[in-house]
Every structure is written in C-alpha cells, then in structure tokens.
Amino acid sequence: MKKTSIITFRKALFCSFFLVLFLTFVNGVRAEASDRVVEVGSSIMLTDNNMTNGSGYIKRWSSSNTSIASTSGSGTSCAVFGIRPGTATISCYTTSWVSRPFFQWTGPYASDGYWTTRTDYSYTTRYYTVKVVNGVQSVNFSSSSQEMEVGEKAKLSLIITPSDAEVTSVLYSSSDSSVAEVAGDGEVTAKKQGTAVITASVNGKYRASCTVTVRGVEDTNSGQNSNGSGNSSSDRNSVKKETKDSSSGKLRLNTGKVTLQIGEKFQLAAKAGTKKVKPVFKSSDGKKAAVNKKGMVTAKSCGKVKITATLSGGKKVSCSVKVIPKKVETFKIIEKKNKLLLRWKKSSKIDGYKIYRSSQKNDGYRLVKTVSASRKRLLLKKPKTGTYFYKIGAFKKVGGKSYNGALSTPVSVTIY
C-alpha cells in the first residue's frame, strides 16, 4: 500500500511538471508587438530582458526581411539597421533554463535515491514591428531671395531632399511679420516696405531660409499737409510716379540662379514692376538646359547655362542655371568576410563616381575612392572596429570643371 502511494505521487508530480512546462511554452510564444521607426542608413537599439532571471539564457535575433532591416546582436540588446524603406518584423527568440536540486528516486523507500540537479527549459518569442523610412538630408527653398510688392502674395517652394523623406512637421516663421507675414502652408503676404527672412523648420531640426524684399509705396491717406487738406502736392506726385513705375518698372525673374539635377524642371516667371509679363525666353545652350515659351526650364546635361528673358520693348533679365548629375539611387553595402561590397544603380551622362566615408551621419565625410562611370559595384577593405557611414555621388567634367551631383542617402555599417 505504501509503495502504491509513492508511485501515484511520483506520477502526479511528473504530470504537473509537464503541464507547467506546456503552459509556459504556450504563453511564451505570444507576440508582443512594439512599433519602432529607423531611418535608412541609421540604426536603433532594441532591448529584451524577458526570461533572463534564471540560471541562463540564449537570445537569437532575426529580421523577417533583411533587405529592409538587418540585425546585429545575440544578447539582451540588438542593433537594427535601416537598409531601404519598408516594414520588417524583428524577432527575439529566447531559450531560458533554471537548474534546481532534484531527488532521484531509485526505490519505494525514502532512503532509495540520491540528490542531483534538474534543468527546466522555457521558450518565448517577442516581436517588434520596425518601419524603415528615408530621413531628411537637406532642406532648401527653390530660391534664396524673393522680391515682392506691398499687398502681393506668393507661395514659397520648399525642396526637401530626398523627395520621399519622412516629414513629420513643417513650421514657417518670419523675422518681421510687419514686413512679410507667412502662413502655415508657406504663403507669404507682403505687408510694407522692408526686408524679412522667412524660415522653414522641417522635423524640428532641418532649416532653410529665404530673404523677402518688399517694395512699393505705402498709401498713408491719414497724413495731413500744413493746410489740413491731406497729402501734400509733392507726396501725391511721388505716389503717382511710383504707381507709374510699378506697372512698367524693372524686369525681374522669380530667381537669379538655380541648380538642377539632370532631368529636373524649374518654372521661371517674370514681372515688370507689379505686373506679370510674358517675355521671350532663350537658352544659351539648349543641349544643357532647354526652356520653352512659358519659361519651363528642363535640365539635360551638366554645365552652366544662361536663360534670358526679353520683353518686346527691349528689356532683358537673365537667370543662371547650373546642371549637375542626378543623385545616385539604390546605394547598398553588403558585409563580406574581410571586405565591404558597395553596390548602386548606374547613372548616365557622367564621368564617374566618388565614394565618401565618415564616422558621423551628417558631417565629416572624406573621399575614399573615385571610380569610373562603367562601375556599379566596388570592394573596399574593412575599416577598424566601429560604425561608419558611406555616401556616393556622381560627377561630370565639362570644360575642365567638375560638376558634382548630390550625395546619396548615407548607408551605415558596424564593424565588430
């Protein structure tokens, strides 16, 4: 009877152990979604301290799509690198164990057995949803200066590079709202004569500025002459003269210079005083930058071009157009055993590429290699331990001068 009780107790203990183990496993595989955002070329750290209080543990990190985001780490922390825009699921699979004393029965009596150690294992997987986005690299207005007349409205054109960058906020401000007031969408209203600087702040840290010069005469009808009859004769003549000049004044364009990538377009607009006019546009070199009769400029090949606008009366004004190579696309780095493989999409109408490296994402880039236009990949020796950022840009030599294209979005790599 005593032997039967001991056997029954051991069976119940054995079944209870496996029931606890099963419930632990079922609870452990439950996904815990956690959204994160990382920019292309940057990294974020994920931390998982789940089930680390036992005798030991092993964590294995992995990405559902390594072409979007890759992982580097085997402990409680893992670095996730953004490679291209998209969404990937990062998994942290944990194997945890607890070792505790255990009495091994060898017979029906209490003295039949010995003490040993038993290890119990638990398993869990935690999931993180990581969104990879293109970060803002630069912010500029299409023109660094703008001339306006009192009462005129104009919407400033903001250029954010790259065009598909993740933009969370754009805030406009004016250094003097009494001269030029700016709305939330970038529309400027000229209030009175003077100069004001319009600033655009993107994502709270990237800024661009445009100097707005307001011209024209303010109509101050409330002023009285010495006879109390309103404006003096000289004031009225001044107003008449300014009004006459504003309708047939100096011819000007919406910008005096602009830089375009091959294939980009820019709309030129002309005014004579306060009146919009339609001059005849002409390019000094249509093979580099062409312009149609409406003033639309199309960049075709690298170099400098002068676009001239001429009115029927003979008035002329010009705009300098600088055409640079197109920004290199799909720049990637693949880590080999002792090398780094750099790959990119080939560009046309260029002479070659320049590869730059820095230990900082937004500063300190130095030229490490120049390759010909026929190349679309390059093997570089691995640098010493650390995190590095690489950029690539195309260049074209015209008339002894090198025209450098905009650098690509930085791509990072960490060497352990």
Side-chain angles (χ1 to χ4, degrees):
M1 183 71 179
K2 183 178 181 181
K3 182 176 180 180
T4 304
S5 299
I6 293 174
I7 294 174
T8 303
F9 172 75
R10 288 172 62 185
K11 285 183 177 180
L13 184 65
F14 183 76
C15 292
S16 299
F17 165 73
F18 276 99
L19 178 61
V20 171
L21 183 63
F22 174 75
L23 292 175
T24 301
F25 176 78
V26 170
N27 291 329
V29 297
R30 185 178 300 152
E32 298 181 31
S34 183
D35 293 334
R36 299 288 193 278
V37 177
V38 59
E39 294 182 357
V40 172
S42 297
S43 63
I44 58 172
M45 295 298 296
L46 298 181
T47 302
D48 185 277
N49 291 311
N50 203 14
M51 297 175 64
T52 59
N53 296 323
S55 303
Y57 63 90
I58 296 175
K59 290 183 178 291
R60 293 192 295 273
W61 297 82
S62 63
S63 171
S64 64
N65 193 331
T66 54
S67 68
I68 293 176
S70 62
T71 59
S72 178
S74 57
T76 57
S77 296
C78 172
V80 180
F81 300 92
I83 299 174
R84 67 176 178 85
T87 301
T89 300
I90 307 300
S91 304
C92 179
Y93 180 76
T94 304
T95 301
S96 177
W97 58 88
V98 177
S99 299
R100 54 173 61 91
F102 173 74
F103 188 81
Q104 179 64 55
W105 296 93
T106 58
Y109 302 104
S111 59
D112 295 338
Y114 58 90
W115 284 98
T116 184
T117 301
R118 182 172 65 190
T119 302
D120 297 329
Y121 291 89
S122 300
Y123 310 91
T124 186
T125 302
R126 192 173 187 180
Y127 302 95
Y128 299 83
T129 301
V130 174
K131 182 181 178 182
V132 182
V133 300
N134 272 328
V136 176
Q137 297 302 311
S138 64
V139 176
N140 295 285
F141 284 109
S142 58
S143 177
S144 60
S145 61
Q146 178 86 17
E147 291 185 357
M148 301 177 66
E149 303 292 339
V150 173
E152 184 182 359
K153 292 187 177 184
K155 190 169 183 178
L156 299 180
S157 177
L158 188 63
I159 301 173
I160 300 175
T161 304
S163 58
D164 60 345
E166 183 82 353
V167 177
T168 56
S169 66
V170 179
L171 299 175
Y172 293 93
S173 62
S174 173
S175 63
D176 191 343
S177 297
S178 66
V179 173
E181 187 178 49
V182 62
D185 61 353
E187 184 179 70
V188 178
T189 302
K191 309 290 282 187
K192 70 176 184 179
Q193 284 182 295
T195 301
V197 177
I198 304 301
T199 302
S201 176
V202 178
N203 292 357
K205 60 179 180 178
Y206 299 95
R207 288 176 173 79
S209 61
C210 176
T211 302
V212 175
T213 302
V214 181
R215 294 180 175 179
V217 174
E218 299 173 72
D219 187 6
T220 54
N221 291 325
S222 58
Q224 301 291 318
N225 62 15
S226 59
N227 296 322
S229 58
N231 290 333
S232 67
S233 176
S234 60
D235 289 338
R236 289 194 297 270
N237 290 336
S238 176
V239 173
K240 290 179 180 179
K241 183 177 182 299
E242 187 65 35
T243 303
K244 181 179 179 181
D245 290 342
S246 67
S247 61
S248 59
K250 182 180 178 181
L251 177 64
R252 64 185 188 278
L253 295 172
N254 54 337
T255 184
K257 60 180 179 180
V258 64
T259 299
L260 301 175
Q261 297 183 39
I262 293 176
E264 281 190 325
K265 296 178 182 289
F266 183 82
Q267 179 66 59
L268 287 175
K271 280 188 177 182
T274 59
K275 184 180 179 182
K276 292 183 179 180
V277 293
K278 296 181 180 180
V280 176
F281 292 97
K282 185 178 180 181
S283 172
S284 62
D285 190 341
K287 292 182 179 180
K288 290 184 175 68
V291 62
N292 64 15
K293 63 181 181 180
K294 294 183 179 180
M296 180 64 74
V297 181
T298 303
K300 293 189 172 183
S301 63
C302 295
K304 281 190 175 181
V305 178
K306 181 181 285 187
I307 305 295
T308 303
T310 307
L311 287 177
S312 57
K315 290 185 178 181
K316 292 184 179 181
V317 68
S318 62
C319 170
S320 176
V321 178
K322 181 180 179 181
V323 182
I324 61 175
K326 194 174 181 180
K327 186 176 179 181
V328 179
E329 299 177 351
T330 61
F331 182 46
K332 297 180 180 180
I333 296 181
I334 301 174
E335 189 174 351
K336 300 291 185 180
K337 186 176 181 181
N338 296 313
K339 300 280 186 179
L340 293 178
L341 175 61
L342 281 64
R343 299 178 63 182
W344 61 88
K345 185 177 180 180
K346 287 178 64 175
S347 301
S348 58
K349 299 181 180 181
I350 63 168
D351 290 332
Y353 305 92
K354 295 179 180 179
I355 291 91
Y356 299 83
R357 183 179 68 201
S358 174
S359 58
Q360 306 173 60
K361 181 181 178 181
N362 297 316
D363 194 16
Y365 283 88
R366 293 187 177 182
L367 180 67
V368 294
K369 193 74 175 180
T370 301
V371 298
S372 66
S374 61
R375 301 285 293 274
K376 60 179 181 180
R377 61 178 63 196
L378 175 68
L379 274 174
L380 288 177
K381 183 180 178 180
K382 273 188 180 180
K384 62 181 181 180
T385 302
T387 299
Y388 299 90
F389 298 88
Y390 288 81
K391 289 184 179 183
I392 186 172
F395 70 91
K396 175 74 174 178
K397 291 184 177 180
V398 180
K401 184 176 181 180
S402 181
Y403 290 84
N404 298 316
L407 296 180
S408 67
T409 300
V411 177
S412 67
V413 60
T414 300
I415 310 299
Y416 295 97

mmCIF file of all heavy atoms in Angstrom, residues 169-194:
data_model
loop_
_atom_site.group_PDB
_atom_site.id
_atom_site.type_symbol
_atom_site.label_atom_id
_atom_site.label_comp_id
_atom_site.label_asym_id
_atom_site.label_seq_id
_atom_site.Cartn_x
_atom_site.Cartn_y
_atom_site.Cartn_z
ATOM 1 N N SER A 169 6.832 67.293 -39.573
ATOM 2 C CA SER A 169 6.348 68.650 -39.322
ATOM 3 C C SER A 169 7.103 69.658 -40.173
ATOM 4 O O SER A 169 8.291 69.484 -40.436
ATOM 5 C CB SER A 169 6.490 69.022 -37.840
ATOM 6 O OG SER A 169 7.852 69.100 -37.470
ATOM 7 N N VAL A 170 6.386 70.709 -40.616
ATOM 8 C CA VAL A 170 6.986 71.835 -41.327
ATOM 9 C C VAL A 170 6.419 73.110 -40.710
ATOM 10 O O VAL A 170 5.207 73.336 -40.739
ATOM 11 C CB VAL A 170 6.675 71.805 -42.839
ATOM 12 C CG1 VAL A 170 7.305 73.018 -43.524
ATOM 13 C CG2 VAL A 170 7.186 70.523 -43.476
ATOM 14 N N LEU A 171 7.286 73.921 -40.126
ATOM 15 C CA LEU A 171 6.864 75.156 -39.477
ATOM 16 C C LEU A 171 7.536 76.346 -40.144
ATOM 17 O O LEU A 171 8.753 76.344 -40.333
ATOM 18 C CB LEU A 171 7.207 75.137 -37.985
ATOM 19 C CG LEU A 171 6.551 74.033 -37.141
ATOM 20 C CD1 LEU A 171 7.073 74.072 -35.712
ATOM 21 C CD2 LEU A 171 5.034 74.176 -37.163
ATOM 22 N N TYR A 172 6.733 77.367 -40.502
ATOM 23 C CA TYR A 172 7.252 78.575 -41.133
ATOM 24 C C TYR A 172 7.227 79.726 -40.130
ATOM 25 O O TYR A 172 6.325 79.818 -39.286
ATOM 26 C CB TYR A 172 6.414 78.957 -42.356
ATOM 27 C CG TYR A 172 6.505 77.982 -43.509
ATOM 28 C CD1 TYR A 172 5.580 76.945 -43.641
ATOM 29 C CD2 TYR A 172 7.504 78.097 -44.461
ATOM 30 C CE1 TYR A 172 5.656 76.051 -44.700
ATOM 31 C CE2 TYR A 172 7.588 77.210 -45.531
ATOM 32 C CZ TYR A 172 6.660 76.187 -45.632
ATOM 33 O OH TYR A 172 6.735 75.314 -46.680
ATOM 34 N N SER A 173 8.216 80.612 -40.245
ATOM 35 C CA SER A 173 8.256 81.794 -39.388
ATOM 36 C C SER A 173 8.881 82.956 -40.148
ATOM 37 O O SER A 173 9.629 82.756 -41.109
ATOM 38 C CB SER A 173 9.051 81.518 -38.112
ATOM 39 O OG SER A 173 10.394 81.193 -38.419
ATOM 40 N N SER A 174 8.559 84.173 -39.717
ATOM 41 C CA SER A 174 9.092 85.383 -40.334
ATOM 42 C C SER A 174 9.855 86.192 -39.295
ATOM 43 O O SER A 174 9.415 86.297 -38.142
ATOM 44 C CB SER A 174 7.963 86.226 -40.917
ATOM 45 O OG SER A 174 8.447 87.488 -41.369
ATOM 46 N N SER A 175 11.002 86.735 -39.707
ATOM 47 C CA SER A 175 11.781 87.547 -38.775
ATOM 48 C C SER A 175 11.104 88.884 -38.502
ATOM 49 O O SER A 175 11.393 89.538 -37.498
ATOM 50 C CB SER A 175 13.189 87.780 -39.339
ATOM 51 O OG SER A 175 13.121 88.516 -40.557
ATOM 52 N N ASP A 176 10.192 89.303 -39.377
ATOM 53 C CA ASP A 176 9.454 90.559 -39.187
ATOM 54 C C ASP A 176 8.096 90.439 -39.874
ATOM 55 O O ASP A 176 7.963 90.690 -41.072
ATOM 56 C CB ASP A 176 10.243 91.739 -39.763
ATOM 57 C CG ASP A 176 9.656 93.089 -39.351
ATOM 58 O OD1 ASP A 176 8.494 93.118 -38.905
ATOM 59 O OD2 ASP A 176 10.354 94.112 -39.480
ATOM 60 N N SER A 177 7.101 90.023 -39.099
ATOM 61 C CA SER A 177 5.763 89.807 -39.665
ATOM 62 C C SER A 177 5.103 91.096 -40.120
ATOM 63 O O SER A 177 4.145 91.064 -40.905
ATOM 64 C CB SER A 177 4.870 89.107 -38.638
ATOM 65 O OG SER A 177 5.363 87.835 -38.326
ATOM 66 N N SER A 178 5.598 92.249 -39.653
ATOM 67 C CA SER A 178 5.022 93.515 -40.106
ATOM 68 C C SER A 178 5.447 93.841 -41.535
ATOM 69 O O SER A 178 4.803 94.609 -42.224
ATOM 70 C CB SER A 178 5.433 94.652 -39.170
ATOM 71 O OG SER A 178 6.837 94.891 -39.248
ATOM 72 N N VAL A 179 6.544 93.225 -41.992
ATOM 73 C CA VAL A 179 7.022 93.408 -43.370
ATOM 74 C C VAL A 179 6.491 92.295 -44.268
ATOM 75 O O VAL A 179 5.909 92.552 -45.325
ATOM 76 C CB VAL A 179 8.565 93.435 -43.416
ATOM 77 C CG1 VAL A 179 9.051 93.459 -44.871
ATOM 78 C CG2 VAL A 179 9.093 94.643 -42.669
ATOM 79 N N ALA A 180 6.699 91.053 -43.841
ATOM 80 C CA ALA A 180 6.233 89.904 -44.621
ATOM 81 C C ALA A 180 5.692 88.857 -43.659
ATOM 82 O O ALA A 180 6.413 88.382 -42.779
ATOM 83 C CB ALA A 180 7.365 89.329 -45.462
ATOM 84 N N GLU A 181 4.442 88.528 -43.832
ATOM 85 C CA GLU A 181 3.786 87.549 -42.976
ATOM 86 C C GLU A 181 3.694 86.226 -43.718
ATOM 87 O O GLU A 181 3.391 86.184 -44.914
ATOM 88 C CB GLU A 181 2.391 88.047 -42.608
ATOM 89 C CG GLU A 181 1.678 87.194 -41.575
ATOM 90 C CD GLU A 181 0.325 87.767 -41.221
ATOM 91 O OE1 GLU A 181 -0.450 88.089 -42.161
ATOM 92 O OE2 GLU A 181 0.039 87.933 -40.033
ATOM 93 N N VAL A 182 3.969 85.111 -43.023
ATOM 94 C CA VAL A 182 3.941 83.799 -43.669
ATOM 95 C C VAL A 182 2.902 82.910 -42.992
ATOM 96 O O VAL A 182 2.774 82.887 -41.769
ATOM 97 C CB VAL A 182 5.338 83.130 -43.633
ATOM 98 C CG1 VAL A 182 5.791 82.878 -42.200
ATOM 99 C CG2 VAL A 182 5.346 81.839 -44.443
ATOM 100 N N ALA A 183 2.132 82.216 -43.819
ATOM 101 C CA ALA A 183 1.095 81.303 -43.323
ATOM 102 C C ALA A 183 1.676 79.907 -43.120
ATOM 103 O O ALA A 183 2.815 79.627 -43.489
ATOM 104 C CB ALA A 183 -0.075 81.269 -44.301
ATOM 105 N N GLY A 184 0.866 79.028 -42.571
ATOM 106 C CA GLY A 184 1.314 77.668 -42.289
ATOM 107 C C GLY A 184 1.648 76.849 -43.511
ATOM 108 O O GLY A 184 2.365 75.853 -43.414
ATOM 109 N N ASP A 185 1.126 77.233 -44.688
ATOM 110 C CA ASP A 185 1.424 76.493 -45.915
ATOM 111 C C ASP A 185 2.551 77.129 -46.721
ATOM 112 O O ASP A 185 2.827 76.711 -47.847
ATOM 113 C CB ASP A 185 0.165 76.385 -46.792
ATOM 114 C CG ASP A 185 -0.371 77.752 -47.210
ATOM 115 O OD1 ASP A 185 0.155 78.779 -46.718
ATOM 116 O OD2 ASP A 185 -1.316 77.796 -48.022
ATOM 117 N N GLY A 186 3.215 78.152 -46.156
ATOM 118 C CA GLY A 186 4.330 78.783 -46.846
ATOM 119 C C GLY A 186 3.964 79.969 -47.705
ATOM 120 O O GLY A 186 4.822 80.533 -48.397
ATOM 121 N N GLU A 187 2.690 80.406 -47.674
ATOM 122 C CA GLU A 187 2.285 81.567 -48.468
ATOM 123 C C GLU A 187 2.678 82.844 -47.729
ATOM 124 O O GLU A 187 2.334 83.032 -46.573
ATOM 125 C CB GLU A 187 0.792 81.548 -48.734
ATOM 126 C CG GLU A 187 0.340 82.698 -49.633
ATOM 127 C CD GLU A 187 -1.142 82.677 -49.926
ATOM 128 O OE1 GLU A 187 -1.927 82.939 -48.984
ATOM 129 O OE2 GLU A 187 -1.520 82.396 -51.070
ATOM 130 N N VAL A 188 3.400 83.726 -48.452
ATOM 131 C CA VAL A 188 3.892 84.966 -47.867
ATOM 132 C C VAL A 188 3.031 86.129 -48.348
ATOM 133 O O VAL A 188 2.714 86.236 -49.541
ATOM 134 C CB VAL A 188 5.364 85.209 -48.252
ATOM 135 C CG1 VAL A 188 5.860 86.541 -47.685
ATOM 136 C CG2 VAL A 188 6.234 84.059 -47.757
ATOM 137 N N THR A 189 2.679 87.011 -47.430
ATOM 138 C CA THR A 189 1.935 88.229 -47.750
ATOM 139 C C THR A 189 2.814 89.437 -47.441
ATOM 140 O O THR A 189 3.275 89.600 -46.309
ATOM 141 C CB THR A 189 0.640 88.325 -46.932
ATOM 142 O OG1 THR A 189 -0.168 87.170 -47.187
ATOM 143 C CG2 THR A 189 -0.142 89.579 -47.306
ATOM 144 N N ALA A 190 3.071 90.249 -48.477
ATOM 145 C CA ALA A 190 3.892 91.448 -48.301
ATOM 146 C C ALA A 190 3.052 92.529 -47.635
ATOM 147 O O ALA A 190 2.016 92.932 -48.161
ATOM 148 C CB ALA A 190 4.412 91.925 -49.652
ATOM 149 N N LYS A 191 3.496 93.039 -46.484
ATOM 150 C CA LYS A 191 2.719 93.992 -45.704
ATOM 151 C C LYS A 191 3.193 95.438 -45.897
ATOM 152 O O LYS A 191 2.391 96.343 -46.063
ATOM 153 C CB LYS A 191 2.791 93.631 -44.216
ATOM 154 C CG LYS A 191 2.450 92.172 -43.907
ATOM 155 C CD LYS A 191 0.999 91.857 -44.099
ATOM 156 C CE LYS A 191 0.183 92.366 -42.937
ATOM 157 N NZ LYS A 191 -1.218 91.928 -43.003
ATOM 158 N N LYS A 192 4.507 95.649 -45.854
ATOM 159 C CA LYS A 192 5.043 97.001 -46.030
ATOM 160 C C LYS A 192 6.484 96.907 -46.516
ATOM 161 O O LYS A 192 7.074 95.813 -46.532
ATOM 162 C CB LYS A 192 4.973 97.775 -44.713
ATOM 163 C CG LYS A 192 5.943 97.288 -43.651
ATOM 164 C CD LYS A 192 5.885 98.172 -42.413
ATOM 165 C CE LYS A 192 6.933 97.730 -41.377
ATOM 166 N NZ LYS A 192 6.929 98.583 -40.168
ATOM 167 N N GLN A 193 7.031 98.039 -46.933
ATOM 168 C CA GLN A 193 8.394 98.069 -47.424
ATOM 169 C C GLN A 193 9.373 97.602 -46.352
ATOM 170 O O GLN A 193 9.229 97.912 -45.174
ATOM 171 C CB GLN A 193 8.771 99.490 -47.860
ATOM 172 C CG GLN A 193 8.179 99.905 -49.203
ATOM 173 C CD GLN A 193 8.631 101.300 -49.571
ATOM 174 O OE1 GLN A 193 8.279 102.263 -48.896
ATOM 175 N NE2 GLN A 193 9.401 101.403 -50.636
ATOM 176 N N GLY A 194 10.363 96.843 -46.807
ATOM 177 C CA GLY A 194 11.377 96.363 -45.871
ATOM 178 C C GLY A 194 11.882 94.994 -46.268
ATOM 179 O O GLY A 194 11.613 94.502 -47.369
#
